[in-house]
Amino acid sequence: MKWLKQIFITLSALLLLSYIGAAQLKAYSFEQADALQKKQKRNIAVFIYTDWCQYCQVMKRATFSHDQVVRKLNEQFYFVALNGEEKRDIRFNNNLFKYKPNGTNTGAHELAEVLGTIDGKLAYPGLIILNSRYEIIFQYSGFLNARALRAILDNTPR
C-alpha cells in the first residue's frame, strides 16, 4: 500500500511539473519588437483583438496557449498582441500611432487600422504577419484554431 501512495505522489508531482513547465507565449510591445529586430531579424506576428470580442477571447485562451503554436511563435517570430481600441500612443517603425475616437466611448487605434484593415474594413480578431522590413506578408480577419494558425506559421516565408 505504501508503494501505491509513492506512485500517486510521483505521478502528481510529474503532472504538476509538466503544467508549470508548459511553454508560455512571449508577447512583446511594438516598441520591444522594433528594438529586437536590430539584434535578430524575425517576422512579427500581430494579433489584433478587443476586450468585447468573444472570438478574440477564445483565440487568446485556446489558440495562443497551444504548445505547438507557442513554441513556433517563441522560436521564430516576435509576437505582439494589440488591443484594437488601445488608447495609448504607440511608436513603431519611426511612426507615432494614436487612438482615434469615432463616437461616444468608441474608436480604434490607428495602428490596428493600418495593419488590420482588409478590403476597407477592420474586423476582429485579426492576424497580421510582418516581415523583418515591416511589410505585411499575411493578413487574416476571423477566428483561427491552433491547427489553422500552425499551418499559417509553418508556411510563412522568413
Side-chain angles (χ1 to χ4, degrees), residues 29-38 42 44 46 78 80 82 88-97 109 111 114-115 128 130-136:
S29 68
F30 279 98
E31 295 85 356
Q32 289 170 321
D34 207 11
L36 287 167
Q37 284 291 20
K38 292 173 178 67
R42 289 186 184 182
I44 299 173
V46 181
Y78 296 122
V80 178
L82 172 62
R88 74 174 180 87
D89 294 351
I90 298 174
R91 183 166 298 284
F92 180 63
N93 194 22
N94 298 318
N95 294 295
L96 184 65
F97 299 92
H109 200 280
L111 188 50
V114 167
L115 296 177
I128 295 80
L130 307 171
N131 66 18
S132 62
R133 293 178 306 282
Y134 306 127
E135 300 164 332
I136 295 172

PDB file of all heavy atoms in Angstrom, residues 29-38 42 44 46 78 80 82 88-97 109 111 114-115 128 130-136:
ATOM      1  N   SER A  29       5.763  44.309 -26.872  1.00  0.00           N
ATOM      2  CA  SER A  29       5.123  45.522 -27.365  1.00  0.00           C
ATOM      3  C   SER A  29       5.720  45.813 -28.741  1.00  0.00           C
ATOM      4  O   SER A  29       6.746  45.234 -29.131  1.00  0.00           O
ATOM      5  CB  SER A  29       5.392  46.688 -26.414  1.00  0.00           C
ATOM      6  OG  SER A  29       6.768  47.030 -26.446  1.00  0.00           O
ATOM      7  N   PHE A  30       5.110  46.716 -29.481  1.00  0.00           N
ATOM      8  CA  PHE A  30       5.672  47.085 -30.776  1.00  0.00           C
ATOM      9  C   PHE A  30       7.056  47.712 -30.602  1.00  0.00           C
ATOM     10  O   PHE A  30       7.959  47.467 -31.401  1.00  0.00           O
ATOM     11  CB  PHE A  30       4.746  48.058 -31.521  1.00  0.00           C
ATOM     12  CG  PHE A  30       3.625  47.354 -32.222  1.00  0.00           C
ATOM     13  CD1 PHE A  30       2.379  47.276 -31.639  1.00  0.00           C
ATOM     14  CD2 PHE A  30       3.818  46.765 -33.459  1.00  0.00           C
ATOM     15  CE1 PHE A  30       1.338  46.621 -32.278  1.00  0.00           C
ATOM     16  CE2 PHE A  30       2.792  46.108 -34.109  1.00  0.00           C
ATOM     17  CZ  PHE A  30       1.542  46.038 -33.512  1.00  0.00           C
ATOM     18  N   GLU A  31       7.207  48.495 -29.552  1.00  0.00           N
ATOM     19  CA  GLU A  31       8.490  49.130 -29.294  1.00  0.00           C
ATOM     20  C   GLU A  31       9.569  48.082 -29.005  1.00  0.00           C
ATOM     21  O   GLU A  31      10.698  48.190 -29.497  1.00  0.00           O
ATOM     22  CB  GLU A  31       8.368  50.112 -28.115  1.00  0.00           C
ATOM     23  CG  GLU A  31       7.464  51.309 -28.374  1.00  0.00           C
ATOM     24  CD  GLU A  31       5.969  51.065 -28.114  1.00  0.00           C
ATOM     25  OE1 GLU A  31       5.583  49.923 -27.791  1.00  0.00           O
ATOM     26  OE2 GLU A  31       5.189  52.018 -28.247  1.00  0.00           O
ATOM     27  N   GLN A  32       9.216  47.061 -28.233  1.00  0.00           N
ATOM     28  CA  GLN A  32      10.179  45.989 -27.944  1.00  0.00           C
ATOM     29  C   GLN A  32      10.525  45.200 -29.211  1.00  0.00           C
ATOM     30  O   GLN A  32      11.693  44.889 -29.452  1.00  0.00           O
ATOM     31  CB  GLN A  32       9.609  45.034 -26.888  1.00  0.00           C
ATOM     32  CG  GLN A  32       9.527  45.629 -25.511  1.00  0.00           C
ATOM     33  CD  GLN A  32       8.746  44.735 -24.563  1.00  0.00           C
ATOM     34  OE1 GLN A  32       7.735  44.128 -24.933  1.00  0.00           O
ATOM     35  NE2 GLN A  32       9.227  44.644 -23.322  1.00  0.00           N
ATOM     36  N   ALA A  33       9.527  44.870 -30.006  1.00  0.00           N
ATOM     37  CA  ALA A  33       9.770  44.125 -31.247  1.00  0.00           C
ATOM     38  C   ALA A  33      10.655  44.940 -32.185  1.00  0.00           C
ATOM     39  O   ALA A  33      11.554  44.396 -32.833  1.00  0.00           O
ATOM     40  CB  ALA A  33       8.449  43.779 -31.924  1.00  0.00           C
ATOM     41  N   ASP A  34      10.427  46.236 -32.237  1.00  0.00           N
ATOM     42  CA  ASP A  34      11.236  47.129 -33.056  1.00  0.00           C
ATOM     43  C   ASP A  34      12.699  47.069 -32.612  1.00  0.00           C
ATOM     44  O   ASP A  34      13.610  46.940 -33.440  1.00  0.00           O
ATOM     45  CB  ASP A  34      10.692  48.552 -32.929  1.00  0.00           C
ATOM     46  CG  ASP A  34      10.981  49.421 -34.133  1.00  0.00           C
ATOM     47  OD1 ASP A  34      11.425  48.909 -35.174  1.00  0.00           O
ATOM     48  OD2 ASP A  34      10.754  50.640 -34.023  1.00  0.00           O
ATOM     49  N   ALA A  35      12.944  47.123 -31.309  1.00  0.00           N
ATOM     50  CA  ALA A  35      14.308  47.057 -30.773  1.00  0.00           C
ATOM     51  C   ALA A  35      14.933  45.684 -31.012  1.00  0.00           C
ATOM     52  O   ALA A  35      16.117  45.584 -31.367  1.00  0.00           O
ATOM     53  CB  ALA A  35      14.306  47.390 -29.283  1.00  0.00           C
ATOM     54  N   LEU A  36      14.146  44.626 -30.838  1.00  0.00           N
ATOM     55  CA  LEU A  36      14.661  43.268 -31.046  1.00  0.00           C
ATOM     56  C   LEU A  36      15.066  43.021 -32.501  1.00  0.00           C
ATOM     57  O   LEU A  36      15.989  42.260 -32.770  1.00  0.00           O
ATOM     58  CB  LEU A  36      13.632  42.238 -30.593  1.00  0.00           C
ATOM     59  CG  LEU A  36      13.452  42.111 -29.082  1.00  0.00           C
ATOM     60  CD1 LEU A  36      12.205  41.303 -28.758  1.00  0.00           C
ATOM     61  CD2 LEU A  36      14.679  41.478 -28.453  1.00  0.00           C
ATOM     62  N   GLN A  37      14.385  43.667 -33.437  1.00  0.00           N
ATOM     63  CA  GLN A  37      14.716  43.498 -34.860  1.00  0.00           C
ATOM     64  C   GLN A  37      16.144  43.932 -35.159  1.00  0.00           C
ATOM     65  O   GLN A  37      16.765  43.431 -36.077  1.00  0.00           O
ATOM     66  CB  GLN A  37      13.765  44.311 -35.753  1.00  0.00           C
ATOM     67  CG  GLN A  37      12.407  43.724 -35.909  1.00  0.00           C
ATOM     68  CD  GLN A  37      12.379  42.440 -36.718  1.00  0.00           C
ATOM     69  OE1 GLN A  37      13.364  41.742 -36.902  1.00  0.00           O
ATOM     70  NE2 GLN A  37      11.201  42.089 -37.178  1.00  0.00           N
ATOM     71  N   LYS A  38      16.645  44.875 -34.371  1.00  0.00           N
ATOM     72  CA  LYS A  38      18.012  45.356 -34.582  1.00  0.00           C
ATOM     73  C   LYS A  38      19.038  44.297 -34.180  1.00  0.00           C
ATOM     74  O   LYS A  38      20.157  44.291 -34.670  1.00  0.00           O
ATOM     75  CB  LYS A  38      18.226  46.644 -33.813  1.00  0.00           C
ATOM     76  CG  LYS A  38      17.418  47.804 -34.370  1.00  0.00           C
ATOM     77  CD  LYS A  38      17.502  49.029 -33.491  1.00  0.00           C
ATOM     78  CE  LYS A  38      16.747  50.206 -34.061  1.00  0.00           C
ATOM     79  NZ  LYS A  38      15.338  50.067 -34.117  1.00  0.00           N
ATOM     80  N   ARG A  42      13.401  38.875 -37.467  1.00  0.00           N
ATOM     81  CA  ARG A  42      12.334  37.867 -37.466  1.00  0.00           C
ATOM     82  C   ARG A  42      11.072  38.495 -38.019  1.00  0.00           C
ATOM     83  O   ARG A  42      10.898  39.713 -37.992  1.00  0.00           O
ATOM     84  CB  ARG A  42      12.006  37.399 -36.035  1.00  0.00           C
ATOM     85  CG  ARG A  42      13.028  36.556 -35.364  1.00  0.00           C
ATOM     86  CD  ARG A  42      12.467  36.080 -34.043  1.00  0.00           C
ATOM     87  NE  ARG A  42      13.434  35.322 -33.276  1.00  0.00           N
ATOM     88  CZ  ARG A  42      13.175  34.778 -32.106  1.00  0.00           C
ATOM     89  NH1 ARG A  42      11.977  34.898 -31.556  1.00  0.00           N
ATOM     90  NH2 ARG A  42      14.102  34.099 -31.470  1.00  0.00           N
ATOM     91  N   ILE A  44       7.143  39.357 -37.578  1.00  0.00           N
ATOM     92  CA  ILE A  44       6.346  39.756 -36.418  1.00  0.00           C
ATOM     93  C   ILE A  44       4.917  39.284 -36.647  1.00  0.00           C
ATOM     94  O   ILE A  44       4.309  39.597 -37.672  1.00  0.00           O
ATOM     95  CB  ILE A  44       6.368  41.284 -36.216  1.00  0.00           C
ATOM     96  CG1 ILE A  44       7.801  41.772 -35.981  1.00  0.00           C
ATOM     97  CG2 ILE A  44       5.457  41.690 -35.058  1.00  0.00           C
ATOM     98  CD1 ILE A  44       7.946  43.281 -35.935  1.00  0.00           C
ATOM     99  N   VAL A  46       1.225  39.675 -35.425  1.00  0.00           N
ATOM    100  CA  VAL A  46       0.409  40.632 -34.680  1.00  0.00           C
ATOM    101  C   VAL A  46      -1.007  40.077 -34.566  1.00  0.00           C
ATOM    102  O   VAL A  46      -1.647  39.763 -35.572  1.00  0.00           O
ATOM    103  CB  VAL A  46       0.376  42.010 -35.380  1.00  0.00           C
ATOM    104  CG1 VAL A  46      -0.469  42.995 -34.578  1.00  0.00           C
ATOM    105  CG2 VAL A  46       1.787  42.551 -35.595  1.00  0.00           C
ATOM    106  N   TYR A  78       8.380  37.362 -33.473  1.00  0.00           N
ATOM    107  CA  TYR A  78       8.102  38.243 -32.345  1.00  0.00           C
ATOM    108  C   TYR A  78       6.585  38.387 -32.336  1.00  0.00           C
ATOM    109  O   TYR A  78       5.989  38.785 -33.342  1.00  0.00           O
ATOM    110  CB  TYR A  78       8.775  39.605 -32.506  1.00  0.00           C
ATOM    111  CG  TYR A  78      10.287  39.522 -32.514  1.00  0.00           C
ATOM    112  CD1 TYR A  78      11.025  39.999 -33.586  1.00  0.00           C
ATOM    113  CD2 TYR A  78      10.970  38.944 -31.451  1.00  0.00           C
ATOM    114  CE1 TYR A  78      12.398  39.916 -33.594  1.00  0.00           C
ATOM    115  CE2 TYR A  78      12.357  38.848 -31.459  1.00  0.00           C
ATOM    116  CZ  TYR A  78      13.063  39.337 -32.535  1.00  0.00           C
ATOM    117  OH  TYR A  78      14.427  39.248 -32.546  1.00  0.00           O
ATOM    118  N   VAL A  80       3.135  40.050 -31.038  1.00  0.00           N
ATOM    119  CA  VAL A  80       2.595  41.276 -30.453  1.00  0.00           C
ATOM    120  C   VAL A  80       1.075  41.159 -30.441  1.00  0.00           C
ATOM    121  O   VAL A  80       0.464  40.867 -31.468  1.00  0.00           O
ATOM    122  CB  VAL A  80       3.008  42.522 -31.265  1.00  0.00           C
ATOM    123  CG1 VAL A  80       2.390  43.778 -30.673  1.00  0.00           C
ATOM    124  CG2 VAL A  80       4.522  42.650 -31.336  1.00  0.00           C
ATOM    125  N   LEU A  82      -2.267  43.327 -29.929  1.00  0.00           N
ATOM    126  CA  LEU A  82      -2.687  44.720 -29.978  1.00  0.00           C
ATOM    127  C   LEU A  82      -4.192  44.819 -29.771  1.00  0.00           C
ATOM    128  O   LEU A  82      -4.970  44.298 -30.570  1.00  0.00           O
ATOM    129  CB  LEU A  82      -2.313  45.341 -31.334  1.00  0.00           C
ATOM    130  CG  LEU A  82      -2.851  46.747 -31.619  1.00  0.00           C
ATOM    131  CD1 LEU A  82      -2.301  47.763 -30.605  1.00  0.00           C
ATOM    132  CD2 LEU A  82      -2.522  47.163 -33.041  1.00  0.00           C
ATOM    133  N   ARG A  88      -3.362  54.199 -25.679  1.00  0.00           N
ATOM    134  CA  ARG A  88      -2.025  54.803 -25.584  1.00  0.00           C
ATOM    135  C   ARG A  88      -1.400  54.941 -26.973  1.00  0.00           C
ATOM    136  O   ARG A  88      -1.688  54.168 -27.894  1.00  0.00           O
ATOM    137  CB  ARG A  88      -1.124  54.002 -24.656  1.00  0.00           C
ATOM    138  CG  ARG A  88      -0.621  52.700 -25.219  1.00  0.00           C
ATOM    139  CD  ARG A  88       0.398  52.021 -24.296  1.00  0.00           C
ATOM    140  NE  ARG A  88       0.856  50.784 -24.882  1.00  0.00           N
ATOM    141  CZ  ARG A  88       1.869  50.684 -25.734  1.00  0.00           C
ATOM    142  NH1 ARG A  88       2.531  51.752 -26.086  1.00  0.00           N
ATOM    143  NH2 ARG A  88       2.219  49.526 -26.244  1.00  0.00           N
ATOM    144  N   ASP A  89      -0.544  55.939 -27.092  1.00  0.00           N
ATOM    145  CA  ASP A  89       0.200  56.132 -28.331  1.00  0.00           C
ATOM    146  C   ASP A  89       1.223  55.010 -28.478  1.00  0.00           C
ATOM    147  O   ASP A  89       1.799  54.556 -27.487  1.00  0.00           O
ATOM    148  CB  ASP A  89       0.939  57.468 -28.316  1.00  0.00           C
ATOM    149  CG  ASP A  89      -0.006  58.660 -28.324  1.00  0.00           C
ATOM    150  OD1 ASP A  89      -1.223  58.468 -28.511  1.00  0.00           O
ATOM    151  OD2 ASP A  89       0.488  59.792 -28.139  1.00  0.00           O
ATOM    152  N   ILE A  90       1.453  54.589 -29.707  1.00  0.00           N
ATOM    153  CA  ILE A  90       2.430  53.532 -29.979  1.00  0.00           C
ATOM    154  C   ILE A  90       3.401  54.039 -31.034  1.00  0.00           C
ATOM    155  O   ILE A  90       2.992  54.488 -32.112  1.00  0.00           O
ATOM    156  CB  ILE A  90       1.737  52.238 -30.476  1.00  0.00           C
ATOM    157  CG1 ILE A  90       0.799  51.687 -29.404  1.00  0.00           C
ATOM    158  CG2 ILE A  90       2.788  51.191 -30.871  1.00  0.00           C
ATOM    159  CD1 ILE A  90      -0.037  50.508 -29.857  1.00  0.00           C
ATOM    160  N   ARG A  91       4.665  53.968 -30.707  1.00  0.00           N
ATOM    161  CA  ARG A  91       5.709  54.319 -31.668  1.00  0.00           C
ATOM    162  C   ARG A  91       6.217  53.020 -32.288  1.00  0.00           C
ATOM    163  O   ARG A  91       6.649  52.117 -31.592  1.00  0.00           O
ATOM    164  CB  ARG A  91       6.852  55.055 -30.981  1.00  0.00           C
ATOM    165  CG  ARG A  91       7.923  55.493 -31.969  1.00  0.00           C
ATOM    166  CD  ARG A  91       8.884  56.504 -31.390  1.00  0.00           C
ATOM    167  NE  ARG A  91       8.265  57.760 -30.996  1.00  0.00           N
ATOM    168  CZ  ARG A  91       7.873  58.732 -31.838  1.00  0.00           C
ATOM    169  NH1 ARG A  91       8.025  58.571 -33.131  1.00  0.00           N
ATOM    170  NH2 ARG A  91       7.334  59.838 -31.383  1.00  0.00           N
ATOM    171  N   PHE A  92       6.138  52.962 -33.624  1.00  0.00           N
ATOM    172  CA  PHE A  92       6.568  51.755 -34.333  1.00  0.00           C
ATOM    173  C   PHE A  92       7.076  52.139 -35.711  1.00  0.00           C
ATOM    174  O   PHE A  92       6.429  52.917 -36.422  1.00  0.00           O
ATOM    175  CB  PHE A  92       5.408  50.757 -34.448  1.00  0.00           C
ATOM    176  CG  PHE A  92       5.753  49.486 -35.154  1.00  0.00           C
ATOM    177  CD1 PHE A  92       6.712  48.620 -34.646  1.00  0.00           C
ATOM    178  CD2 PHE A  92       5.139  49.154 -36.344  1.00  0.00           C
ATOM    179  CE1 PHE A  92       7.038  47.441 -35.298  1.00  0.00           C
ATOM    180  CE2 PHE A  92       5.445  47.977 -37.005  1.00  0.00           C
ATOM    181  CZ  PHE A  92       6.403  47.129 -36.482  1.00  0.00           C
ATOM    182  N   ASN A  93       8.222  51.600 -36.077  1.00  0.00           N
ATOM    183  CA  ASN A  93       8.812  51.818 -37.392  1.00  0.00           C
ATOM    184  C   ASN A  93       8.931  53.314 -37.694  1.00  0.00           C
ATOM    185  O   ASN A  93       8.543  53.781 -38.756  1.00  0.00           O
ATOM    186  CB  ASN A  93       7.989  51.095 -38.466  1.00  0.00           C
ATOM    187  CG  ASN A  93       8.716  51.007 -39.784  1.00  0.00           C
ATOM    188  OD1 ASN A  93       9.928  51.106 -39.847  1.00  0.00           O
ATOM    189  ND2 ASN A  93       7.947  50.824 -40.851  1.00  0.00           N
ATOM    190  N   ASN A  94       9.410  54.063 -36.701  1.00  0.00           N
ATOM    191  CA  ASN A  94       9.634  55.509 -36.809  1.00  0.00           C
ATOM    192  C   ASN A  94       8.361  56.310 -37.057  1.00  0.00           C
ATOM    193  O   ASN A  94       8.411  57.402 -37.624  1.00  0.00           O
ATOM    194  CB  ASN A  94      10.664  55.824 -37.904  1.00  0.00           C
ATOM    195  CG  ASN A  94      12.014  55.215 -37.596  1.00  0.00           C
ATOM    196  OD1 ASN A  94      12.459  55.253 -36.451  1.00  0.00           O
ATOM    197  ND2 ASN A  94      12.650  54.630 -38.599  1.00  0.00           N
ATOM    198  N   ASN A  95       7.221  55.766 -36.654  1.00  0.00           N
ATOM    199  CA  ASN A  95       5.945  56.471 -36.769  1.00  0.00           C
ATOM    200  C   ASN A  95       5.240  56.450 -35.419  1.00  0.00           C
ATOM    201  O   ASN A  95       5.412  55.499 -34.646  1.00  0.00           O
ATOM    202  CB  ASN A  95       5.038  55.807 -37.814  1.00  0.00           C
ATOM    203  CG  ASN A  95       5.613  55.933 -39.204  1.00  0.00           C
ATOM    204  OD1 ASN A  95       5.732  57.021 -39.741  1.00  0.00           O
ATOM    205  ND2 ASN A  95       5.988  54.808 -39.794  1.00  0.00           N
ATOM    206  N   LEU A  96       4.424  57.467 -35.162  1.00  0.00           N
ATOM    207  CA  LEU A  96       3.623  57.522 -33.942  1.00  0.00           C
ATOM    208  C   LEU A  96       2.165  57.288 -34.318  1.00  0.00           C
ATOM    209  O   LEU A  96       1.608  58.005 -35.158  1.00  0.00           O
ATOM    210  CB  LEU A  96       3.788  58.874 -33.248  1.00  0.00           C
ATOM    211  CG  LEU A  96       3.077  59.012 -31.912  1.00  0.00           C
ATOM    212  CD1 LEU A  96       3.679  58.037 -30.882  1.00  0.00           C
ATOM    213  CD2 LEU A  96       3.146  60.435 -31.405  1.00  0.00           C
ATOM    214  N   PHE A  97       1.559  56.271 -33.711  1.00  0.00           N
ATOM    215  CA  PHE A  97       0.170  55.916 -33.980  1.00  0.00           C
ATOM    216  C   PHE A  97      -0.667  56.220 -32.742  1.00  0.00           C
ATOM    217  O   PHE A  97      -0.239  55.957 -31.627  1.00  0.00           O
ATOM    218  CB  PHE A  97       0.056  54.431 -34.337  1.00  0.00           C
ATOM    219  CG  PHE A  97       0.827  54.062 -35.577  1.00  0.00           C
ATOM    220  CD1 PHE A  97       2.142  53.624 -35.496  1.00  0.00           C
ATOM    221  CD2 PHE A  97       0.237  54.169 -36.837  1.00  0.00           C
ATOM    222  CE1 PHE A  97       2.860  53.282 -36.633  1.00  0.00           C
ATOM    223  CE2 PHE A  97       0.952  53.836 -37.981  1.00  0.00           C
ATOM    224  CZ  PHE A  97       2.265  53.387 -37.877  1.00  0.00           C
ATOM    225  N   HIS A 109      -7.581  52.174 -32.773  1.00  0.00           N
ATOM    226  CA  HIS A 109      -6.210  52.648 -32.795  1.00  0.00           C
ATOM    227  C   HIS A 109      -5.739  52.710 -34.246  1.00  0.00           C
ATOM    228  O   HIS A 109      -6.035  51.809 -35.041  1.00  0.00           O
ATOM    229  CB  HIS A 109      -5.305  51.724 -31.971  1.00  0.00           C
ATOM    230  CG  HIS A 109      -4.043  52.380 -31.568  1.00  0.00           C
ATOM    231  ND1 HIS A 109      -2.972  52.498 -32.418  1.00  0.00           N
ATOM    232  CD2 HIS A 109      -3.680  52.990 -30.413  1.00  0.00           C
ATOM    233  CE1 HIS A 109      -2.000  53.137 -31.809  1.00  0.00           C
ATOM    234  NE2 HIS A 109      -2.399  53.453 -30.580  1.00  0.00           N
ATOM    235  N   LEU A 111      -2.853  52.193 -35.515  1.00  0.00           N
ATOM    236  CA  LEU A 111      -2.003  51.064 -35.907  1.00  0.00           C
ATOM    237  C   LEU A 111      -2.839  49.823 -36.216  1.00  0.00           C
ATOM    238  O   LEU A 111      -2.540  49.085 -37.149  1.00  0.00           O
ATOM    239  CB  LEU A 111      -0.967  50.774 -34.825  1.00  0.00           C
ATOM    240  CG  LEU A 111       0.119  49.756 -35.168  1.00  0.00           C
ATOM    241  CD1 LEU A 111       0.795  50.052 -36.493  1.00  0.00           C
ATOM    242  CD2 LEU A 111       1.131  49.667 -34.043  1.00  0.00           C
ATOM    243  N   VAL A 114      -4.174  50.472 -39.685  1.00  0.00           N
ATOM    244  CA  VAL A 114      -3.143  50.335 -40.716  1.00  0.00           C
ATOM    245  C   VAL A 114      -2.841  48.867 -40.999  1.00  0.00           C
ATOM    246  O   VAL A 114      -2.739  48.444 -42.151  1.00  0.00           O
ATOM    247  CB  VAL A 114      -1.852  51.087 -40.298  1.00  0.00           C
ATOM    248  CG1 VAL A 114      -0.674  50.704 -41.184  1.00  0.00           C
ATOM    249  CG2 VAL A 114      -2.078  52.581 -40.324  1.00  0.00           C
ATOM    250  N   LEU A 115      -2.715  48.079 -39.931  1.00  0.00           N
ATOM    251  CA  LEU A 115      -2.328  46.678 -40.102  1.00  0.00           C
ATOM    252  C   LEU A 115      -3.508  45.764 -40.419  1.00  0.00           C
ATOM    253  O   LEU A 115      -3.373  44.818 -41.190  1.00  0.00           O
ATOM    254  CB  LEU A 115      -1.632  46.167 -38.842  1.00  0.00           C
ATOM    255  CG  LEU A 115      -0.303  46.827 -38.483  1.00  0.00           C
ATOM    256  CD1 LEU A 115       0.221  46.272 -37.161  1.00  0.00           C
ATOM    257  CD2 LEU A 115       0.708  46.638 -39.591  1.00  0.00           C
ATOM    258  N   ILE A 128      -1.964  39.406 -38.423  1.00  0.00           N
ATOM    259  CA  ILE A 128      -1.150  40.031 -39.447  1.00  0.00           C
ATOM    260  C   ILE A 128       0.284  39.570 -39.230  1.00  0.00           C
ATOM    261  O   ILE A 128       0.763  39.533 -38.096  1.00  0.00           O
ATOM    262  CB  ILE A 128      -1.216  41.577 -39.351  1.00  0.00           C
ATOM    263  CG1 ILE A 128      -2.639  42.083 -39.659  1.00  0.00           C
ATOM    264  CG2 ILE A 128      -0.245  42.228 -40.321  1.00  0.00           C
ATOM    265  CD1 ILE A 128      -3.588  41.991 -38.562  1.00  0.00           C
ATOM    266  N   LEU A 130       4.133  40.454 -40.354  1.00  0.00           N
ATOM    267  CA  LEU A 130       5.034  41.408 -40.988  1.00  0.00           C
ATOM    268  C   LEU A 130       6.390  40.750 -41.173  1.00  0.00           C
ATOM    269  O   LEU A 130       6.830  40.001 -40.291  1.00  0.00           O
ATOM    270  CB  LEU A 130       5.215  42.646 -40.099  1.00  0.00           C
ATOM    271  CG  LEU A 130       3.969  43.365 -39.624  1.00  0.00           C
ATOM    272  CD1 LEU A 130       4.337  44.429 -38.588  1.00  0.00           C
ATOM    273  CD2 LEU A 130       3.247  43.995 -40.797  1.00  0.00           C
ATOM    274  N   ASN A 131       7.046  41.044 -42.282  1.00  0.00           N
ATOM    275  CA  ASN A 131       8.411  40.550 -42.421  1.00  0.00           C
ATOM    276  C   ASN A 131       9.346  41.465 -41.636  1.00  0.00           C
ATOM    277  O   ASN A 131       8.894  42.439 -41.012  1.00  0.00           O
ATOM    278  CB  ASN A 131       8.811  40.382 -43.892  1.00  0.00           C
ATOM    279  CG  ASN A 131       8.876  41.692 -44.642  1.00  0.00           C
ATOM    280  OD1 ASN A 131       8.948  42.780 -44.081  1.00  0.00           O
ATOM    281  ND2 ASN A 131       8.840  41.594 -45.970  1.00  0.00           N
ATOM    282  N   SER A 132      10.629  41.205 -41.676  1.00  0.00           N
ATOM    283  CA  SER A 132      11.579  41.979 -40.876  1.00  0.00           C
ATOM    284  C   SER A 132      11.728  43.421 -41.373  1.00  0.00           C
ATOM    285  O   SER A 132      12.298  44.255 -40.694  1.00  0.00           O
ATOM    286  CB  SER A 132      12.936  41.279 -40.835  1.00  0.00           C
ATOM    287  OG  SER A 132      13.468  41.182 -42.137  1.00  0.00           O
ATOM    288  N   ARG A 133      11.185  43.732 -42.566  1.00  0.00           N
ATOM    289  CA  ARG A 133      11.193  45.102 -43.088  1.00  0.00           C
ATOM    290  C   ARG A 133       9.840  45.783 -42.830  1.00  0.00           C
ATOM    291  O   ARG A 133       9.556  46.836 -43.398  1.00  0.00           O
ATOM    292  CB  ARG A 133      11.517  45.088 -44.580  1.00  0.00           C
ATOM    293  CG  ARG A 133      12.937  44.620 -44.864  1.00  0.00           C
ATOM    294  CD  ARG A 133      13.269  44.564 -46.350  1.00  0.00           C
ATOM    295  NE  ARG A 133      12.352  43.782 -47.172  1.00  0.00           N
ATOM    296  CZ  ARG A 133      12.350  42.448 -47.255  1.00  0.00           C
ATOM    297  NH1 ARG A 133      13.220  41.738 -46.570  1.00  0.00           N
ATOM    298  NH2 ARG A 133      11.486  41.818 -48.023  1.00  0.00           N
ATOM    299  N   TYR A 134       9.002  45.138 -42.006  1.00  0.00           N
ATOM    300  CA  TYR A 134       7.686  45.660 -41.600  1.00  0.00           C
ATOM    301  C   TYR A 134       6.685  45.730 -42.746  1.00  0.00           C
ATOM    302  O   TYR A 134       5.741  46.513 -42.714  1.00  0.00           O
ATOM    303  CB  TYR A 134       7.800  47.015 -40.900  1.00  0.00           C
ATOM    304  CG  TYR A 134       8.739  46.999 -39.733  1.00  0.00           C
ATOM    305  CD1 TYR A 134       9.757  47.918 -39.635  1.00  0.00           C
ATOM    306  CD2 TYR A 134       8.627  46.052 -38.729  1.00  0.00           C
ATOM    307  CE1 TYR A 134      10.638  47.902 -38.559  1.00  0.00           C
ATOM    308  CE2 TYR A 134       9.499  46.024 -37.655  1.00  0.00           C
ATOM    309  CZ  TYR A 134      10.496  46.945 -37.577  1.00  0.00           C
ATOM    310  OH  TYR A 134      11.358  46.928 -36.531  1.00  0.00           O
ATOM    311  N   GLU A 135       6.866  44.887 -43.742  1.00  0.00           N
ATOM    312  CA  GLU A 135       5.897  44.782 -44.822  1.00  0.00           C
ATOM    313  C   GLU A 135       4.891  43.700 -44.458  1.00  0.00           C
ATOM    314  O   GLU A 135       5.270  42.646 -43.935  1.00  0.00           O
ATOM    315  CB  GLU A 135       6.607  44.408 -46.130  1.00  0.00           C
ATOM    316  CG  GLU A 135       7.641  45.419 -46.566  1.00  0.00           C
ATOM    317  CD  GLU A 135       8.594  44.879 -47.629  1.00  0.00           C
ATOM    318  OE1 GLU A 135       8.839  43.654 -47.680  1.00  0.00           O
ATOM    319  OE2 GLU A 135       9.109  45.709 -48.396  1.00  0.00           O
ATOM    320  N   ILE A 136       3.623  43.950 -44.752  1.00  0.00           N
ATOM    321  CA  ILE A 136       2.589  42.952 -44.475  1.00  0.00           C
ATOM    322  C   ILE A 136       2.734  41.823 -45.491  1.00  0.00           C
ATOM    323  O   ILE A 136       2.638  42.044 -46.700  1.00  0.00           O
ATOM    324  CB  ILE A 136       1.183  43.567 -44.564  1.00  0.00           C
ATOM    325  CG1 ILE A 136       1.001  44.630 -43.464  1.00  0.00           C
ATOM    326  CG2 ILE A 136       0.111  42.480 -44.448  1.00  0.00           C
ATOM    327  CD1 ILE A 136      -0.287  45.437 -43.579  1.00  0.00           C
TER     328      ILE A 136
END
